[in-house]
Amino acid sequence: MSILYKSTRSEDIKVTASQAILKGLAADGGLFVPTEIPTLKESLKELSAMSYQEVAYAVMKEYFTDFTEEELKNCIDKAYDAKFDTEVIAPITKVEGTYYLELFHGATIAFKDMALSILPHLLTTAAKKNQVKNDIVILTATSGDTGKAALAGFADVPGTKIIVFYPKGGVSPIQEKQMLTQKGNNVSVVGIHGNFDQAQTGVKMIFGDKELEVKMNQAGYQFSSANSINIGRLVPQVVYYVYAYARLLASGELAEGELMNVVVPTGNFGNILAAYYAKNMGLPIGKLICASNDNKVLYDFFTTGTYDKNRQFMLTVSPSMDILVSSNLERLIYKVAGADAKANCALMQSLSAEGKYDITLAMKAQLVDFYGNYASEEETLKTIADVYDNTGYIMDTHTAVAACVAKKYAAETADKTKMLIASTASPFKFTRSVMNAIDEKYDAMGDFELVDELSKIGNLEIPNAINEIRTAPILHDIVCDAEEMKATVEKILGI
């Protein structure tokens, strides 16, 4: 069965999977969604005997129906290889009766590697399939992790260039150094004076600029996206939830068909949306628990049915979640609006014009699978300290938000369903916040002293991603205002 992709903002746009991956964002500003969410063809028992790569093919073949078996398996094999420091790709650790799905064993030690290791291969394959002659320019805004994972994925990939915008002062020192030391003849990194939402809005405006599109085409370029708005990012994320369930079934931790709740630290809403897609494919997921930090726009939305970004933007110890406009939520809104592009479009216009929208009671009733809550800064740091003191397990600040909310959910509902927490980053990525949470005495240490100390107290090997940047030279130094983003892109591309 062939699955096509349509825009969340108009009825008449329908494209193939490869075209949706190439475009990234629909011409009308909408996001591409499959005409239907396919079901898993393999049984849970069959999946439980599969490797990560085999599960990836089982899931992705249902979505990317215009890719041949050879093309898709080639993309998967190139993505999930020795770049990951463990053969199982996404190991699960059981801590205090809860399962942590560790999604940070890739090249840049964050969950974004899970999708951004394969996206360059999907994109270049899609370009060949559609006889694209232009170079693809990947334009991305990052709140910290997407940037480095995208840079690493696309570095020196023929026929591509990548430009990453990040909020200067709004990412961790390790995250910034990872980006600024990135090698590659086709990569550019730009800090903006502003926050992530301004960077993301700027990128969307550049995508929608028709004059620039003509100028780009004349110069032999066209834009695509590596943000989670690209369906080529979202579908690979569905894989690891299916894989996690299959592993827990294989190890006897779950019985076949037994429900599993999923807890996701949430910023742009892509990671939890992928779990929602997995549930809709037939995976036995119970509640989808959406964990926010002090930027709790999603918690307020699930509680009230009103999405309102008109509030103070908070800089927190979990910077990848410091987001007030969760782009991927639009895909869920479109679905609960009964796939009504006109209704969705009106809500998105309201968000753009007034910074808020209200969904109907009928739409809110369809969000029954979701539970939202948040962890304050104090609660996040206390969770890191408590889990370390009780078990010796060290988690990063984003995973701690999820762990805290998981406890709140269990206390509030008395739901005894087993819980899987998406552990989205290595503690080494946020060493200062993590170590300060364990003991404030560590604050006197330098960034790399903290790395060594974390390794010692956690009995953890220092990841290559950290060792590589200890002495690496800074290669990127461009900084601009948010309103200068378009001009900066034109300068970088020489157009």
Side-chain angles (χ1 to χ4, degrees):
M1 183 187 67
S2 183
I3 282 195
L4 292 174
Y5 288 80
K6 55 188 176 179
S7 168
T8 51
R9 297 193 190 180
S10 60
E11 303 294 348
D12 47 359
I13 299 176
K14 282 208 176 91
V15 298
T16 63
S18 62
Q19 288 166 338
I21 289 166
L22 266 176
K23 289 174 186 290
L25 198 64
D28 58 11
L31 308 190
F32 286 114
V33 289
T35 45
E36 62 184 280
I37 295 179
T39 53
L40 287 163
K41 299 296 182 289
E42 291 77 10
S43 69
L44 294 170
K45 201 163 191 315
E46 286 171 313
L47 290 163
S48 73
M50 292 184 185
S51 66
Y52 192 89
Q53 293 81 350
E54 289 165 337
V55 173
Y57 180 70
V59 172
M60 289 190 215
K61 71 178 165 61
E62 302 302 333
Y63 287 93
F64 300 150
T65 53
D66 67 327
F67 283 72
T68 66
E69 180 177 349
E70 186 187 4
E71 284 170 338
L72 196 46
K73 284 186 170 172
N74 182 43
C75 290
I76 289 166
D77 289 343
K78 282 181 176 169
Y80 304 111
D81 58 9
K83 288 191 290 294
F84 288 82
D85 64 20
T86 166
E87 266 183 54
V88 297
I89 307 297
I92 298 171
T93 303
K94 190 176 183 181
V95 183
E96 297 182 312
T98 298
Y99 304 99
Y100 288 77
L101 175 63
E102 294 185 349
L103 300 170
F104 52 77
H105 289 273
T108 75
I109 58 176
F111 82 100
K112 307 291 172 85
D113 290 324
M114 303 299 293
L116 283 164
S117 294
I118 194 167
L119 184 62
H121 305 295
L122 292 172
L123 202 62
T124 49
T125 304
K128 276 187 207 138
K129 290 176 85 64
N130 290 277
Q131 288 81 51
V132 170
K133 299 287 185 279
N134 287 342
D135 275 7
I136 308 287
V137 179
I138 301 297
L139 194 63
T140 287
T142 184
S143 55
D145 286 337
T146 287
K148 174 60 182 181
L151 290 162
F154 281 94
D156 293 325
V157 170
T160 70
K161 288 185 183 295
I162 177 164
I163 304 169
V164 168
F165 289 97
Y166 75 97
K168 190 81 183 159
V171 300
S172 82
I174 297 276
Q175 283 177 314
E176 183 174 50
K177 191 151 191 207
Q178 278 188 302
M179 288 190 279
L180 298 186
T181 56
Q182 177 64 50
K183 294 176 187 162
N185 292 322
N186 62 339
V187 306
S188 300
V189 181
V190 183
I192 72 152
H193 298 303
N195 60 41
F196 170 74
D197 286 330
Q198 289 169 298
Q200 181 164 250
T201 300
V203 164
K204 283 182 177 175
M205 283 170 71
I206 294 168
F207 268 111
D209 190 318
K210 298 299 174 205
E211 279 177 36
L212 182 58
E213 189 180 334
V214 172
K215 211 170 165 184
M216 294 267 294
N217 194 39
Q218 287 166 348
Y221 295 123
Q222 69 188 63
F223 284 129
S224 189
S225 169
N227 273 84
S228 56
I229 52 176
N230 192 318
I231 200 72
R233 270 279 304 274
L234 186 64
V235 170
Q237 292 180 269
V238 177
V239 173
Y240 46 72
Y241 294 109
V242 178
Y243 178 72
Y245 191 97
R247 294 320 313 140
L248 291 171
L249 178 60
S251 63
E253 296 286 342
L254 285 175
E256 193 168 351
E258 183 183 351
L259 286 181
M260 161 184 92
N261 289 338
V262 173
V263 193
V264 187
T266 311
N268 222 10
F269 207 74
N271 205 0
I272 194 163
L273 185 73
Y276 177 73
Y277 274 35
K279 180 179 169 81
N280 280 268
M281 288 185 83
L283 198 68
I285 290 175
K287 278 285 181 194
L288 296 150
I289 298 167
C290 178
S292 299
N293 63 16
D294 275 329
N295 291 293
K296 55 188 178 68
V297 65
L298 286 165
Y299 163 63
D300 292 341
F301 168 70
F302 283 116
T303 309
T304 65
T306 297
Y307 192 98
D308 188 351
K309 68 163 188 165
N310 301 311
R311 61 184 69 205
Q312 188 185 348
F313 183 93
M314 316 282 267
L315 288 173
T316 74
V317 292
S318 44
S320 300
M321 297 161 67
D322 290 348
I323 293 173
L324 294 179
V325 181
S326 302
S327 288
N328 266 293
L329 185 64
E330 180 172 345
R331 286 184 165 114
L332 180 65
I333 296 298
Y334 174 78
K335 191 170 189 307
V336 300
D340 183 338
K342 203 175 277 183
N344 174 66
C345 208
L347 293 170
M348 295 308 130
Q349 280 167 348
S350 175
L351 180 65
S352 182
E354 295 156 39
K356 60 184 284 194
Y357 60 79
D358 297 286
I359 61 171
T360 64
L361 286 173
M363 289 167 73
K364 191 166 188 284
Q366 290 183 67
L367 298 175
V368 68
D369 289 343
F370 288 88
Y371 165 92
N373 213 321
Y374 75 103
S376 67
E377 292 286 86
E378 196 181 332
E379 289 172 325
T380 301
L381 298 172
K382 187 176 186 308
T383 300
I384 293 170
D386 288 350
V387 173
Y388 173 70
D389 289 344
N390 295 339
T391 68
Y393 187 73
I394 302 179
M395 65 180 77
D396 92 293
T397 46
H398 303 75
T399 306
V401 169
C404 177
V405 167
K407 285 200 166 116
K408 287 186 179 185
Y409 170 79
E412 200 177 295
T413 64
D415 183 354
K416 297 285 190 282
T417 306
K418 288 168 186 167
M419 282 207 239
L420 181 82
I421 289 178
S423 184
T424 51
S426 163
F428 284 101
K429 205 147 194 173
F430 303 94
T431 42
R432 186 162 300 280
S433 298
V434 168
M435 295 299 279
N436 277 353
I438 290 169
D439 194 324
E440 285 178 1
K441 72 180 183 190
Y442 292 121
D443 200 32
M445 290 186 175
D447 285 327
F448 287 101
E449 281 180 286
L450 286 170
V451 165
D452 295 330
E453 189 66 17
L454 171 56
S455 169
K456 194 167 86 183
I457 69 162
N459 196 23
L460 296 166
E461 205 171 314
I462 298 169
N464 279 339
I466 299 295
N467 282 328
E468 278 171 2
I469 62 170
R470 276 182 191 263
T471 55
I474 299 295
L475 302 175
H476 308 276
D477 59 3
I478 307 173
V479 181
C480 73
D481 291 332
E483 53 272 19
E484 296 170 332
M485 287 170 64
K486 178 186 167 183
T488 304
V489 167
E490 290 176 327
K491 192 174 174 185
I492 287 168
L493 296 176
I495 59 172

